[in-house]
Amino acid sequence: MFKEENGFTELILASEDFSEEEFCRYHYFTKYEENIIDQLMAHGPVLLKGGRGTGKSALLREASNRMRKDNNDHVCGIYLSLRHLPLLRTKGAQYEKEFFVILVDKVKKIALNDYQYDFVSGFDTYSVYQAIIEFSEHIEKRIVFLFDDAAHIGREAGLEEFFDIFRTLSSGRVSCKAAIYPGVTKFGIRFDVYNDAKILDISRRYGQAGFNEFFIQVLELRMGTRMSDLCTTTFSLEQIAELLGMAVLGNVRSFIKGCSIIIDLGQKITFSSISEVFLSLSSDFFWPMMEEVRYKLGMYEPLVDCCVEIAELIYNECGSKQTTTCIIHRSLVNKYSKPLEILEYVGFIVKKEASRGMKSGGRGTRYAVNLCNELEKVANTRLTKDLYIKWIKTSEEDAQFSASSVTFNSIELPDVDIDNSVGILDLDIQKLEKSNAFPYGLTVDKINRLKEENICTVGQLAECSKTRLKQIYMIGDAMADRIRNTVEQAIWM
Amino acid sequence: MENFTKLICGDDFDEFGDYGKIVKNLSKKLNIYINFIRQYEWDSNQAYNDIPFYGRNILETTMTVLLGKIDPFRVITIYKVQSDSDYNLGKKSNSAIEWYGDIIGSSNNGKLWDCSKKKDYYERSVLGNHIWDSIWKPALMNLLDYVSEQNIDSEWLELIKTEDEVNSYSRLKADALRLFSLFSKGIHSECLIEIEIMLDKITLKSSIKDVVRLCSTLGLLSNFMGYLLPNVSKADAIQLYINVEEEIKNV
C-alpha cells in the first residue's frame, strides 16, 4: 500500500509499520505460509529463519493475531519486537535485565487488557519464569512468545544470553518462537540448535507450489488496479508477478519496491521497461542496500568489500552464461561462509541446494542469483525475449566455481574485527535522509529540526523518547512515531 | 497398500521368508495407522487421546521396518524369540527393540571409524553416527543427485535439498527424539496439567504432519540404497513421497 505524505508517495515496505487494521487488509498467506503460521501457534520452541524482507515479522504478527483474535481456548500469543537499543549494547546480566524489562512490560499490558490480571514480576530469569507460569495457570492457557528481530548477523553481543532465556522460559506451559537471520551462528554453549528448537526456513523459491499465486496476490493487494493498468499482451499481471518474484529471489520487500518502481515509471510493461526497472532496482536499491548494511554488521563490517567482490564475480559468470543459478564448491563455501551468508542476508543470492555434485568433481552449494543485479552483467544489459525465456524456463546450465577457481580463491578474506560495534549508531542522522538506500527516510526539514535540538547521530535519535520528540516544533504524534519507525528500521531492518 | 506404507516397506516381500512375514505384519499396522490419520475427524475433540497413540505407533513401526532393512537379523531374532515356548507376554523380553540403542544411537562424538575399537563400538542404531555415515549419508547423496536435474514440486524435497549431510542428520535425529517425547506425553499419564494446554489440536496436527514427513523421508532414503530391501524403484519412491506429502497436507 502507499501512504501520501508531503506530496510524496511513500511505500510501506515492512510489516512492522502497518497498523493492525492495515496489516489484516494488506497481507495474504498461501498454504505454505499457513503451514508456518500453524507451527508458530503449536506448542514447542521454534526458530524462524529468513533473510531481510522474507516475511518473518508478518508471519509472527499473524500467528499472534490469530492466537488472540480467535479467542483461542488454550493459547495466549504474545508478540514482542526486540528492536530495543539497550539490547544491542549490553550483554550478560545487564542484557537479561534489559530483556526482561521489555518482556514484563509487554506481558503486563496483555494480562491487564485481555485478562484483567495484574502481572507482577522482578527482572531476573527465575522471577519472570515463575510469574509467567502463574499467569498461565491463572488464565488456563499456554503462553506463546513470538520474539521478532531476535538475532541479527554481526550482532552477537547478547545472543548467548537470548538463547539461554529462550531455552529457560520454554516449558510445558510456555513456548518460545524467535525470528532469526541466516548467518546467525552463535547460540551459546547451552543451546543446541536442533535439539532445543525446531528450525523453520522461510524460502519462496521460484518453481515452488504457490510461488506465483502468492506474488499475484501481493500485487493485487498492495497495488490494486495500478499494475493491471500497465499490463500488455507481452506481460500479463501473472507474468509480471512471476518474473519479478523470481528476479528478487522471492523477497517480498524487494518485490514491493520493484512494483513501486514500475508504477512510478508509469509506462506500459514491455521488455524495455522491465529492463529499466531491474537496472533501477539493482543500482538504486540492492547495491545501496549493501552500503546500508555495512554499518549494521558490527564485527563483520570489514567483510563487506569481500562480499562485493564475490557478488561481482558471481554476477559476471552468471550474466555471461545467462543462467539463474550457480554452484560454488564446498571448500569455497566453507572458506567464504560469512561473506556468502551476508550476500544471502541482503538478498543477492539464495541457497537452493546445500549439496550438489559438480562437473569438476566434489560437491558444492547451489545458489539462485538476484536477476536484477545479474542483468547489469548481461551483454547489452537488456532483458530480451530470448533471455526472458531462458530465465523463466531455467534452461541454462549453472555457472560453476570449482575448488581450484583462481578468481574465487584470489578474493581476499579480511579478518573480522571483534571489537567493532554496530557502526550505524555513530552515523550522522543525515544518513537517514529519504534516499534509495533509506526509502523510509526522513525529510531534510525534519533532519534539520532534530539537529537544532542537538540530536545529531542515529544512536542519539534512537535514545530519544517519543515525548522528547514531540516537544520539537512541527513534530506531532504521528511524526514522532514515523521518526521512531525510521530510526528503528535504519538500525534493525 | 497405502502410498505411505509402500514407501516405507517396499513391495514384493513375499519371498523373503520370515523377514518378509515381519515386513508384511508391520505394513498392515502402518496401513491402519496412516488410514486412521488421513480420515481422522478432528472435530471429535478426542485428538489428545487418539493422535499421540497413532503418532507414536507410526514412528515406532516405521523405525522397526527401517531397522529390519538395515539389520534383518536383528528383527528376525525378535520374531524367532517371540515364537519360543518360554516367551511370556507378561515379562519384559531381553531382546526387545529399544528406542535408545536400536533406533537412536549415542551422542558419541569420537573418531567414527577407529581401528583400535572393538566391534561393539560400532553402533547399528537406525539414527546413529555409524549407520548415518555408511548408509543414510550415501543414500542422501544418491537422492540429491537423482532429483537435482528434475523439476519436482515438493516442499518436503526442497527442505531435504537445502540441508547438507551433517545438518540433515541432526535434524532427522532431533525430530525423531522430539516427536517420540511429545507423543509419549499424550500416551502415558505423565501430563498432569490440563492436556489440551500442552497438546491442543494445532500442536497435534502439526506434530502428526511432522512424524509422517520424518518417516516418509527416511523411507524415501531407504529406497536410494539398493541393498536395503524390500524396496521400490527410485522413480516410484519419489512419486510415493510426493503423494504422501499431498495426502497429509489436507489433514
Side-chain angles (χ1 to χ4, degrees):
Chain A
M1 74 167 286
F2 293 89
K3 270 192 172 177
E4 304 289 338
E5 187 191 82
N6 297 336
F8 294 101
T9 304
E10 190 203 7
L11 190 64
I12 294 191
L13 294 174
S15 76
E16 298 90 316
D17 299 337
F18 284 101
S19 68
E20 281 299 318
E21 192 198 332
E22 288 170 341
F23 181 86
C24 298
R25 205 166 137 207
Y26 291 104
H27 282 81
Y28 172 80
F29 302 100
T30 61
K31 220 166 184 177
Y32 173 75
E33 281 94 19
E34 290 289 343
N35 182 36
I36 294 178
I37 293 166
D38 283 351
Q39 297 188 66
L40 290 172
M41 292 163 67
H43 198 14
V46 167
L47 296 181
L48 183 62
K49 193 166 81 172
R52 288 159 56 101
T54 47
K56 298 182 296 297
S57 299
L59 292 169
L60 291 173
R61 273 189 77 175
E62 180 64 15
S64 168
N65 286 347
R66 288 188 193 182
M67 283 186 272
R68 292 180 68 191
K69 273 186 200 155
D70 295 353
N71 200 15
N72 196 304
D73 287 342
H74 305 297
V75 195
C76 165
I78 299 175
Y79 171 88
L80 182 62
S81 169
L82 297 182
R83 288 183 174 188
H84 287 263
L85 197 55
L87 295 178
L88 282 184
R89 290 175 159 164
T90 53
K91 54 184 177 181
Q94 189 58 33
Y95 176 95
E96 283 184 11
K97 190 181 171 200
E98 296 289 353
F99 182 94
F100 286 132
V101 166
I102 303 162
L103 185 133
V104 167
D105 182 55
K106 181 79 182 197
V107 180
K108 198 184 256 298
K109 282 179 187 155
I110 288 176
L112 201 60
N113 289 342
D114 295 0
Y115 302 98
Q116 294 76 52
Y117 178 83
D118 186 17
F119 182 82
V120 181
S121 171
F123 300 113
D124 61 281
T125 310
Y126 183 73
S127 307
V128 174
Y129 173 81
Q130 278 298 113
I132 291 169
I133 296 295
E134 281 167 27
F135 175 47
S136 164
E137 284 171 354
H138 178 80
I139 64 174
E140 295 182 329
K141 289 185 182 187
R142 172 163 58 85
I143 311 288
V144 177
F145 284 114
L146 301 134
F147 298 120
D148 199 2
D149 273 311
H152 285 254
I153 188 168
R155 302 180 190 186
E156 269 87 4
L159 282 188
E160 195 162 329
E161 290 79 2
F162 171 77
F163 288 109
D164 258 5
I165 293 168
F166 182 96
R167 191 173 180 273
T168 308
L169 290 184
S170 301
S171 70
R173 289 186 173 276
V174 180
S175 306
C176 293
K177 324 279 175 174
I180 64 168
Y181 285 90
V184 170
T185 46
K186 294 198 172 174
F187 297 95
I189 46 169
R190 285 187 64 222
F191 194 86
D192 180 333
V193 177
Y194 286 101
N195 284 316
D196 288 332
K198 183 172 164 184
I199 314 279
L200 299 179
D201 276 290
I202 309 180
S203 54
R204 283 184 198 83
R205 293 183 178 82
Y206 177 65
Q208 178 185 338
F211 182 91
N212 291 1
E213 175 203 344
F214 176 81
F215 284 108
I216 290 167
Q217 286 296 330
V218 173
L219 263 184
E220 288 178 348
L221 283 173
R222 297 285 184 102
M223 305 296 148
T225 57
R226 294 185 200 209
M227 189 64 86
S228 42
D229 292 345
L230 300 176
C231 288
T232 57
T233 48
T234 318
F235 281 107
S236 65
L237 196 70
E238 290 75 15
Q239 285 169 313
I240 286 295
E242 180 185 38
L243 177 62
L244 189 55
M246 177 195 197
V248 299
L249 302 174
N251 187 295
V252 190
R253 198 175 295 161
S254 310
F255 179 83
I256 292 166
K257 179 67 185 172
C259 292
S260 76
I261 295 175
I262 294 174
I263 285 168
D264 284 348
L265 204 62
Q267 296 173 9
K268 288 285 180 186
I269 301 167
T270 60
F271 286 113
S272 168
S273 65
I274 284 285
S275 300
E276 207 176 317
V277 171
F278 278 19
L279 293 173
S280 168
L281 267 174
S282 176
S283 60
D284 301 336
F285 182 69
F286 286 113
W287 284 108
M289 194 193 293
M290 182 66 93
E291 278 312 300
E292 182 206 331
V293 160
R294 176 189 293 270
Y295 303 105
K296 302 180 186 183
L297 290 174
M299 64 190 285
Y300 299 122
E301 195 180 314
L303 299 182
V304 170
D305 292 337
C306 171
C307 293
V308 171
E309 274 192 75
I310 293 174
E312 294 275 5
L313 179 61
I314 291 173
Y315 294 135
N316 272 329
E317 194 65 20
C318 290
S320 68
K321 287 184 181 304
Q322 303 194 338
T323 183
T324 57
T325 49
C326 68
I327 306 178
I328 303 175
H329 192 275
R330 187 165 286 177
S331 64
L332 294 171
V333 173
N334 290 338
K335 180 178 173 186
Y336 296 99
S337 61
K338 200 50 80 177
L340 288 166
E341 282 163 4
I342 293 170
L343 289 177
E344 276 202 78
Y345 175 73
V346 291
F348 276 37
I349 54 174
V350 69
K351 194 188 285 177
K352 268 180 88 78
E353 293 169 45
S355 179
R356 175 92 177 240
M358 296 184 70
K359 277 195 283 188
S360 55
R363 304 190 77 85
T365 302
R366 185 164 181 244
Y367 294 94
V369 173
N370 181 314
L371 299 179
C372 302
N373 290 351
E374 185 185 320
L375 189 64
E376 285 188 322
K377 307 293 180 186
V378 168
N380 299 324
T381 61
R382 277 183 57 237
L383 178 69
T384 59
K385 191 174 180 185
D386 178 51
L387 179 60
Y388 168 69
I389 291 169
K390 281 180 182 171
W391 278 358
I392 288 292
K393 292 193 169 171
T394 56
S395 56
E396 297 304 295
E397 270 194 10
D398 310 277
Q400 303 210 359
F401 297 97
S402 68
S404 57
S405 165
V406 178
T407 38
F408 219 121
N409 276 302
S410 64
I411 295 173
E412 194 189 339
L413 182 66
D415 292 332
V416 297
D417 180 359
I418 52 169
D419 296 324
N420 197 9
S421 62
V422 182
I424 183 83
L425 301 176
D426 301 325
L427 292 184
D428 192 293
I429 55 168
Q430 203 69 42
K431 194 79 188 167
L432 301 181
E433 188 179 336
K434 189 171 162 59
S435 66
N436 291 321
F438 288 92
Y440 38 82
L442 302 177
T443 60
V444 175
D445 174 64
K446 293 294 175 292
I447 289 172
N448 289 339
R449 285 181 196 285
L450 291 167
K451 282 192 171 177
E452 280 167 18
E453 296 294 321
N454 284 327
I455 303 167
C456 300
T457 66
V458 175
Q460 286 169 343
L461 182 55
E463 281 171 348
C464 265
S465 66
K466 190 174 169 184
T467 315
R468 162 104 201 271
L469 287 174
K470 280 165 66 178
Q471 287 164 355
I472 301 171
Y473 181 62
M474 289 291 281
I475 295 183
D477 202 49
M479 182 49 67
D481 279 338
R482 162 78 196 279
I483 292 172
R484 285 174 67 79
N485 279 343
T486 300
V487 76
E488 278 186 6
Q489 286 173 9
I491 298 170
W492 280 280
M493 194 164 111
Chain B
M1 201 188 300
E2 291 285 333
N3 288 316
F4 177 76
T5 312
K6 197 169 173 183
L7 178 65
I8 311 285
C9 300
D11 56 12
D12 290 338
F13 38 75
D14 290 344
E15 293 176 7
F16 282 36
D18 287 341
Y19 176 52
K21 289 176 197 161
I22 295 167
V23 178
K24 190 177 175 184
N25 292 337
L26 293 171
S27 69
K28 275 187 201 166
K29 289 173 78 176
L30 278 181
N31 260 346
I32 293 168
Y33 301 147
I34 199 72
N35 250 321
F36 182 86
I37 294 303
R38 282 180 47 210
Q39 294 164 15
Y40 190 68
E41 294 288 338
W42 287 89
D43 292 333
S44 67
N45 290 326
Q46 287 300 310
Y48 59 87
N49 275 331
D50 302 330
I51 298 301
F53 174 81
Y54 282 90
R56 170 93 173 248
N57 268 298
I58 285 174
L59 181 61
E60 288 187 345
T61 310
T62 300
M63 291 301 183
T64 306
V65 176
L66 296 173
L67 177 65
K69 284 190 172 188
I70 289 164
D71 189 357
F73 184 67
R74 175 75 181 102
V75 291
I76 291 170
T77 304
I78 298 166
Y79 179 81
K80 295 281 191 194
V81 164
Q82 287 175 354
S83 305
D84 182 66
S85 58
D86 289 337
Y87 185 76
N88 185 341
L89 270 179
K91 281 187 182 172
K92 185 178 185 297
S93 169
N94 288 330
S95 60
I97 292 174
E98 290 177 310
W99 179 252
Y100 292 99
D102 284 307
I103 309 300
I104 302 292
S106 67
S107 304
N108 182 4
N109 291 323
K111 199 174 166 189
L112 198 57
W113 306 106
D114 185 341
C115 65
S116 69
K117 301 290 185 192
K118 292 187 176 172
K119 65 177 181 181
D120 288 350
Y121 173 77
Y122 300 102
E123 296 178 318
R124 290 177 169 228
S125 321
V126 175
L127 289 173
N129 297 350
H130 295 100
I131 294 295
W132 178 264
D133 192 61
S134 56
I135 295 180
W136 298 124
K137 191 166 126 182
L140 178 65
M141 299 291 107
N142 291 342
L143 169 68
L144 293 175
D145 289 341
Y146 185 83
V147 297
S148 64
E149 296 304 331
Q150 300 181 37
N151 201 4
I152 303 169
D153 181 10
S154 161
E155 275 172 32
W156 288 3
L157 268 179
E158 285 298 320
L159 185 63
I160 296 175
K161 282 156 77 174
T162 51
E163 284 184 321
D164 63 19
E165 305 86 287
V166 177
N167 287 336
S168 290
Y169 174 45
S170 303
R171 189 196 279 258
L172 290 168
K173 191 174 173 184
D175 279 352
L177 284 163
R178 174 175 63 82
L179 292 162
F180 184 84
S181 292
L182 184 142
F183 292 132
S184 299
K185 305 279 187 296
I187 293 172
H188 309 303
S189 289
E190 60 176 288
C191 182
L192 301 183
I193 64 175
E194 191 192 338
I195 192 145
E196 283 184 293
I197 286 181
M198 227 194 265
L199 296 178
D200 56 346
K201 208 191 288 184
I202 202 154
T203 302
L204 290 167
K205 266 196 184 186
S206 166
S207 305
I208 203 72
K209 287 179 181 177
D210 280 353
V211 87
V212 174
R213 180 169 56 79
L214 168 70
C215 295
S216 301
T217 301
L218 288 168
L220 176 68
L221 288 177
S222 74
N223 290 295
F224 278 80
M225 185 47 75
Y227 60 81
L228 298 186
L229 298 171
N231 62 11
V232 293
S233 73
K234 291 175 182 173
D236 284 351
I238 295 283
Q239 192 54 55
L240 290 167
Y241 189 70
I242 294 167
N243 293 348
V244 177
E245 180 182 0
E246 205 51 44
E247 288 167 3
I248 205 71
K249 251 186 205 169
N250 300 321
V251 163

